[in-house]
Amino acid sequence: MNMRVIEPKSSIAVIGGGQLGRMFIQAAHRLGYDAGTLSPTADAPATHVASWVVVGPSDRQSSLAEIARKAKAVSVEFENVSAAGLRWLARRGVVVRPGWRTLWISQNRLREKTFLAEHGVPTAPWRQVHNQAELDLAVRELGLPLILKTADSGYDGKGQVRIDAGNQAKAAWESLQQAPCVAEGFVEFAAEISVVTARGADGKSVAYPPALNRHRNHILDSTMMPAPVGPIVCQEAQQLALGIAQSLENVGVLTVEFFLTSSGDLIVNELAPRPHNSGHLTIESAVTDQFEQQVRALCGLPLGGSTLVQPAAMVNLLGDLWSNGEPRWADALALDPGVRLHLYGKQTAVPGRKMGHLTVLDPIAETALDRATAARAVLLGRKS
Ligand code: AMP
């Protein structure tokens, strides 16, 4: 394992220009790094705060060559980065974390599910679907309802359809362009939780307390940390997540999303080899936030503590909030001085697009969520 320390003041980079890249760069700057981005567009959120910007796709060799010239170490802010590109960077002596293998596994649901099965990690029952016969078999063996998900490039519920009746299966798969898919048995979950972990170059790792996540239209709507799940489930979720990070031999931040059933069983839904929307509240609530952990792991520094200084909640601000023009930020902040506003600097508000978030700390996590929700309601022009 590469134990080289990339000292503060060095130049490092993140591949991707979105809000996760932006918050990575902000954390890197706090630690004294010179941090840049390889961004697909010149005005993406990360470009506004980066020390330097290379504009181009993550799989173009000339862009990667420029990154290799400028940065000693490179991380990513989304999983669909070219694994071959990362391997190319690593071969040129750039420290790349997460490594290409972690990315390669987690960017394809079939590879990810196979990896989890090989390591005895509980998931929903699943079957691969490459042709009509496999789809028919999946329906017979898994039963209904089931969820059909494209193996590649799905996020926020995109690239997936629910099948409730056998005669819907063919049309459902056609709606996904008959792409290679995973068919998953439907999990009657009681809650969705996630655990953000970080693993250092020395193999030491930390896990934040599980977060309770609520979704709306398949997009994360709110997070509360710690999740009110009790100490046994909490420990089990953290151990499962840390075990996965170790099995992947991943260095960096890795988030594990779980379904929690009413009988207390944990089922892994998916992995994200990066900071996660459910970990944004660690910026204010944890001893060390998830983005700083990403920088520390990347640069071979010791990881920071992952304990919470206070419970917290986060609510996402989606583009829908802009339907009547720019939201009245001052009104929401006036409601509660404990509300922290994060805007990602995106120019165009589109319904469903993540534009920012609000975080509130409170001794009681549920109260933090109520306060954050109340502040967002002001932005919506509603009372609650
Ligand atoms: P994903 O993109 O796989 O994270 O799925 C998005 C959301 O769809 C999840 O957060 C769940 O709310 C729901 N979902 C996904 N897979 C299943 C499943 N097998 N059973 C029930 N709900 C699911």
Side-chain angles (χ1 to χ4, degrees):
M1 192 167 281
N2 186 344
M3 295 291 283
R4 182 156 63 107
V5 174
I6 313 286
E7 297 284 349
K9 294 190 184 166
S10 305
S11 187
I12 62 174
V14 63
I15 297 180
Q19 63 267 21
L20 299 179
R22 178 184 175 101
M23 291 184 270
F24 167 89
I25 289 170
Q26 288 167 333
H29 284 166
R30 283 199 300 275
L31 286 167
Y33 288 95
D34 176 43
T37 176
L38 169 58
S39 169
T41 61
D43 72 341
T47 66
H48 304 157
V49 298
S51 303
W52 49 269
V53 179
V54 175
V55 177
S58 68
D59 57 356
R60 186 189 288 159
Q61 217 185 65
S62 59
S63 309
L64 293 172
E66 208 174 332
I67 290 292
R69 271 196 301 279
K70 285 179 177 296
K72 285 188 178 166
V74 173
S75 193
V76 304
E77 64 122 37
F78 65 108
E79 44 269 51
N80 287 314
V81 169
S82 154
L86 291 185
R87 207 168 39 200
W88 188 87
L89 277 177
R91 287 213 190 105
R92 266 145 200 84
V94 180
V95 172
V96 179
R97 291 168 176 155
W100 67 268
R101 187 172 159 270
T102 300
L103 263 291
W104 183 77
I105 290 171
S106 62
Q107 65 195 198
N108 177 283
R109 290 185 196 272
L110 282 168
R111 288 197 288 269
E112 185 174 288
K113 289 271 196 289
T114 304
F115 173 86
L116 293 171
E118 282 169 3
H119 289 82
V121 175
T123 62
W126 61 276
R127 296 289 183 275
Q128 62 174 32
V129 173
H130 289 103
N131 53 49
Q132 188 63 44
E134 284 182 342
L135 178 59
D136 294 341
L137 190 66
V139 172
R140 276 202 305 279
E141 293 187 348
L142 299 176
L144 294 167
L146 64 74
I147 300 201
L148 198 59
K149 302 179 178 180
T150 56
D152 289 315
S153 61
Y155 69 99
D156 284 350
K158 293 187 177 67
Q160 55 177 273
V161 271
R162 178 179 158 144
I163 301 174
D164 287 294
N167 61 7
Q168 294 170 355
K170 191 164 180 283
W173 193 38
E174 276 165 7
S175 77
L176 300 174
Q177 278 74 50
Q178 298 186 324
C181 278
V182 173
E184 261 182 53
F186 191 81
V187 179
E188 294 289 353
F189 57 82
E192 291 187 79
I193 66 171
S194 54
V195 174
V196 180
T197 70
R199 188 165 177 272
D202 56 4
K204 289 189 183 145
S205 55
V206 296
Y208 292 94
L212 176 70
N213 301 320
R214 295 207 178 99
H215 295 80
R216 198 176 278 182
N217 301 326
H218 294 285
I219 302 170
L220 185 68
D221 182 58
S222 72
T223 293
M224 185 201 289
M225 189 188 286
V229 291
I232 304 287
V233 171
C234 171
Q235 250 184 44
E236 199 185 332
Q238 286 178 318
Q239 277 165 8
L240 271 167
L242 289 169
I244 292 167
Q246 192 178 350
S247 305
L248 283 166
E249 293 177 30
N250 188 56
V251 178
V253 172
L254 178 92
T255 307
V256 180
E257 296 178 10
F258 296 92
F259 299 128
L260 176 64
T261 68
S262 50
S263 50
D265 289 327
L266 283 166
I267 293 167
V268 171
N269 174 28
E270 63 177 359
L271 312 180
R274 51 166 174 77
H276 192 259
N277 198 166
S278 64
H280 290 358
L281 44 64
T282 61
I283 292 174
E284 287 91 357
S285 69
V287 170
T288 317
D289 71 74
Q290 61 170 355
F291 299 101
E292 182 168 332
Q293 304 284 30
Q294 186 184 13
V295 176
R296 288 183 182 223
L298 172 65
C299 295
L301 296 174
L303 297 176
S306 60
T307 48
L308 297 187
V309 286
Q310 209 167 44
M314 185 254 7
V315 293
N316 268 334
L317 304 175
L318 302 185
D320 313 58
L321 277 175
W322 274 251
S323 56
N324 294 319
E326 192 69 18
R328 297 159 68 108
W329 305 114
D331 291 356
L333 298 178
L335 181 78
D336 185 338
V339 171
R340 302 293 305 274
L341 170 66
H342 295 250
L343 288 173
Y344 307 144
K346 295 183 185 178
Q347 302 308 319
T348 320
V350 179
R353 189 174 193 206
K354 292 173 181 172
M355 304 294 287
H357 68 268
L358 301 177
T359 301
V360 174
L361 272 58
D362 193 282
I364 300 167
E366 284 83 355
T367 310
L369 182 57
D370 289 345
R371 289 171 55 193
T373 307
R376 185 174 58 180
V378 170
L379 298 171
L380 283 165
R382 289 203 222 117
K383 286 219 174 63
S384 63

